[in-house]
Amino acid sequence: MRRKVSLLITVVCLIGLLAGCRSKPATTFIIGDEGQKELSLVTMLIDPGVSMESTGFIQFLKTVPGHDKEFHVEMEMLPQGADGVVRRQRLQRVRTEIMAGKGPDIFICENYNTVTVDVRELGGDVAEGGLFKYPNGVMNNHLLLPLDKYIENAQYMDFGQLEPKVMAAGRNDEGQQILPLTFDFYAAAYVPSSYGLPQERPKTRQEMLGSGCARLDIAAKGMYGDTLLDYFPDMVDWDKETLNFTEDELTERTLDYWDASQKRLSGEYVFAGGRDDGAGVLSNYLMRFQPYEGTILAPEYNRNGGVSAYVTTFAAINRNTKYPEYAFAVLDKLLSKEEQNMPRIYKGSFRTGLPVYTGAAGDTPALGGGALPEHLAKQYGELLEMVDDVRFLNMLDNEMVRSVKPVCEKPGSTQEDVEKAAREAYRAMQMMLAES
C-alpha cells in the first residue's frame, strides 16, 4: 500500500513538474512616456524575396491598434543574397521550431518560385526556396491558425472586398489559414500602333499560336520559363500528393518553351521596334503602360482555356501562438484598403504583385496606390474574370527553373536534350511530393 501511495505521489509530482515547464506567454519591457511597461511579445518572421529594409514595416506597426500599448511586435527578417549559408541555417531552425509547436507568431512571406539563394555555390548541398516549401501542405498539416472567426470580427479588413479567387487559395476544410496579400500572372502587353500587332486581344491560345506574331507566340508557349507549370491548373492533388498532369504533357509543354527560346536566340523572331519587352508579370506592365492609350493585354492561357494566377506574398499565424488576437490585429491592418494602397510595404518592400483588394467598380487600385486608367482597368477586370486557378508557387516550380529552363534556353540544345530534362524533372517532382 505504501508503495502504491509512493508511486501515486511520484506521478502527481511529475505531472505538476511538467505543467510548470509549459511555456508561458512571452512578454517584453519597453520604455515610453509613462515609464517602463511590460507588454505581451508577438514575434513576426518576414521572408522577403530580396534583401530589404525594415523601415516600411516599422512605420506600419505604429498604425496597428494596441501596438506598444498592449503588445509589442519583434521582427526578424530572414537573410537573402550573399547570406546563403546563414539563410539555410535560419530556415532549418525556424522549420524545426514550427514542427515542435513553437516558432514565430506571425509569418509574412514572399511566395517565389525562383531559387533566390543557391547555397550550392556557397558550400551547401541544396538550393532553398521560401520558408514554406509547399504552402498547401503546411495548411493540411495543421500548422497554421484557422482565421475565420477573427475575420468575422475584423476592424479594418473588408474580406468581401478582397479578390475571392485569390483568397480561396489560402483556404482548406478548416477554413482560411493563409491570407494572400498580393498576386500576379503573366501577360503580354503591347500598343498596336507602336508594335504593329493585332488590334484585339486573342481569345484563345490557339489564336495566339496562329497569329504569326512573335510576341504572341512566345506568350502562348511560356514567356520566360519561370511559371511553366501555370499551364496545368490544379497541378497537384494535395490529398493524394500526386501530379495532375502526365510526363508526356509536361514534355509537350517544355518543347513549346524550348521552340520559342531557340527562335528568340537565333534571331528568327523579329520584334517590332527591335525590342523584346512586351511580356512579363502583369503588375509590371500595368504600371509601365499606364500612359499609353490602346494598350492590349493578352494573358498566358492555360490548358483549360483560362488563366492561372499565383500568390506573390502572403501572411499566416502560427497555430501555437499564445496571442492570436494580437497577431491577427497586425494582419487585419495589413489587409485594409488604406494599407493595400500605400507604397511603404506593398511597393517599397515586396518585389511584385497586384493587391488583393478589389474595391468598388472603377476603383481597382494599381500596386502602390492610385486607380488604373480606364483603358487598363476594363481589361484588368476582364482578365480577372478569366482566372480559373490561383496557386502557391513551390519547390516543384524551383525544379523546373533549375533543371528544365536552362536546357531550353541553352543555344543549340536539341529536342532530345529537352525531352530528357522534362522526363527527369517529372520523376524528380514525383519524388519531391512523396517526401513533402
Side-chain angles (χ1 to χ4, degrees):
M1 180 67 181
R2 287 180 181 177
R3 187 178 179 185
K4 290 182 179 179
V5 171
S6 177
L7 286 173
L8 179 60
I9 292 173
T10 301
V11 171
V12 170
C13 289
L14 181 58
I15 292 172
L17 179 62
L18 291 174
C21 291
R22 288 175 184 167
S23 59
K24 297 179 180 179
T27 60
T28 188
F29 290 90
I30 68 166
I31 298 177
D33 297 337
E34 302 174 2
Q36 182 173 281
K37 293 190 298 184
E38 184 178 13
L39 302 177
S40 301
L41 179 62
V42 176
T43 54
M44 179 168 69
L45 184 73
I46 302 174
D47 184 16
V50 292
S51 296
M52 56 172 276
E53 296 293 331
S54 59
T55 308
F57 280 97
I58 293 173
Q59 293 175 343
F60 158 71
L61 288 172
K62 292 179 181 178
T63 70
V64 177
H67 185 257
D68 281 350
K69 294 180 180 178
E70 300 171 34
F71 65 95
H72 175 76
V73 175
E74 182 178 275
M75 291 189 300
E76 177 188 358
M77 287 199 180
L78 287 174
Q80 304 289 332
D83 294 326
V85 174
V86 176
R87 173 179 169 79
R88 184 179 58 167
Q89 293 171 344
R90 295 270 186 90
L91 283 171
Q92 290 175 341
R93 172 180 62 78
V94 174
R95 288 168 181 159
T96 300
E97 289 175 354
I98 295 171
M99 294 303 294
K102 302 177 182 178
D105 298 294
I106 302 171
F107 307 105
I108 297 181
C109 305
E110 182 158 355
N111 178 227
Y112 44 91
N113 64 320
T114 53
V115 182
T116 347
V117 179
D118 192 340
V119 297
R120 291 174 301 178
E121 298 176 1
L122 300 169
D125 299 321
V126 184
E128 294 284 354
L131 172 64
F132 298 126
K133 295 183 178 182
Y134 303 94
N136 297 83
V138 174
M139 288 194 290
N140 291 340
N141 288 333
H142 315 293
L143 298 174
L144 303 177
L145 182 70
L147 301 173
D148 286 0
K149 71 176 183 179
Y150 301 98
I151 291 172
E152 289 177 3
N153 299 310
Q155 295 183 48
Y156 296 93
M157 178 195 314
D158 185 349
F159 200 79
Q161 292 294 316
L162 305 182
E163 182 55 48
K165 296 176 185 177
V166 179
M167 303 313 291
R171 190 175 188 86
N172 68 0
D173 293 340
E174 285 194 279
Q176 193 79 35
Q177 292 191 47
I178 293 179
L179 291 172
L181 304 175
T182 58
F183 71 104
D184 224 325
F185 52 91
Y186 273 70
Y190 57 87
V191 181
S193 59
S194 300
Y195 284 81
L197 298 178
Q199 298 295 316
E200 295 183 0
R201 179 192 309 123
K203 301 295 190 299
T204 64
R205 181 172 184 267
Q206 289 67 32
E207 190 176 331
M208 294 171 78
L209 291 171
S211 67
C213 166
R215 162 56 49 228
L216 296 182
D217 193 60
I218 287 178
K221 292 178 178 178
M223 297 190 187
Y224 292 110
D226 292 346
T227 53
L228 284 173
L229 296 181
D230 280 359
Y231 184 64
F232 304 107
D234 299 317
M235 54 178 276
V236 174
D237 183 328
W238 291 104
D239 292 326
K240 298 179 181 179
E241 295 184 338
T242 56
L243 297 171
N244 278 335
F245 54 91
T246 67
E247 184 177 316
D248 288 343
E249 288 175 317
L250 180 65
T251 300
E252 182 180 356
R253 171 65 168 165
T254 304
L255 285 171
D256 273 346
Y257 180 66
W258 168 72
D259 178 68
S261 298
Q262 294 301 308
K263 288 178 179 176
R264 178 189 286 155
L265 289 168
S266 68
E268 182 177 342
Y269 278 154
V270 178
F271 298 97
R275 295 184 299 168
D276 176 13
D277 64 354
V281 291
L282 183 62
S283 59
N284 289 342
Y285 287 96
L286 285 176
M287 289 186 283
R288 178 183 296 188
F289 285 92
Q290 278 200 30
Y292 301 107
E293 292 290 340
T295 298
I296 292 179
L297 304 174
E300 189 176 273
Y301 293 104
N302 59 40
R303 67 175 174 183
N304 290 350
V307 174
S308 294
Y310 56 94
V311 175
T312 53
T313 55
F314 64 85
I317 297 175
N318 192 328
R319 189 175 289 232
N320 292 298
T321 180
K322 301 295 191 299
Y323 301 116
E325 291 81 6
Y326 293 151
F328 184 77
V330 175
L331 304 192
D332 185 13
K333 190 66 167 63
L334 194 60
L335 273 169
S336 65
K337 176 182 178 180
E338 174 190 14
E339 203 61 45
Q340 283 252 303
N341 277 311
M342 194 169 290
R344 63 184 168 201
I345 290 180
Y346 287 99
K347 188 175 181 181
S349 298
F350 298 141
R351 286 187 300 174
T352 186
L354 298 158
V356 293
Y357 175 81
T358 58
D363 186 28
T364 305
L367 188 62
L372 291 173
E374 184 178 352
H375 70 281
L376 287 180
K378 181 175 182 295
Q379 292 190 71
Y380 176 61
E382 292 171 350
L383 294 186
L384 282 182
E385 287 295 320
M386 298 180 195
V387 171
D388 61 355
D389 180 55
V390 182
R391 68 186 185 91
F392 293 98
L393 302 174
N394 55 58
M395 295 302 287
L396 304 183
D397 295 279
N398 279 27
E399 180 61 30
M400 294 294 290
V401 170
R402 289 168 49 197
S403 63
V404 174
K405 181 180 177 181
V407 177
C408 292
E409 296 179 354
K410 181 181 179 181
S413 59
T414 66
Q415 179 173 334
E416 184 179 10
D417 296 333
V418 176
E419 290 176 345
K420 179 182 177 182
R423 287 195 301 271
E424 291 177 350
Y426 189 86
R427 291 162 191 167
M429 288 190 285
Q430 286 181 312
M431 292 180 61
M432 291 165 70
L433 276 180
E435 296 170 357
S436 65

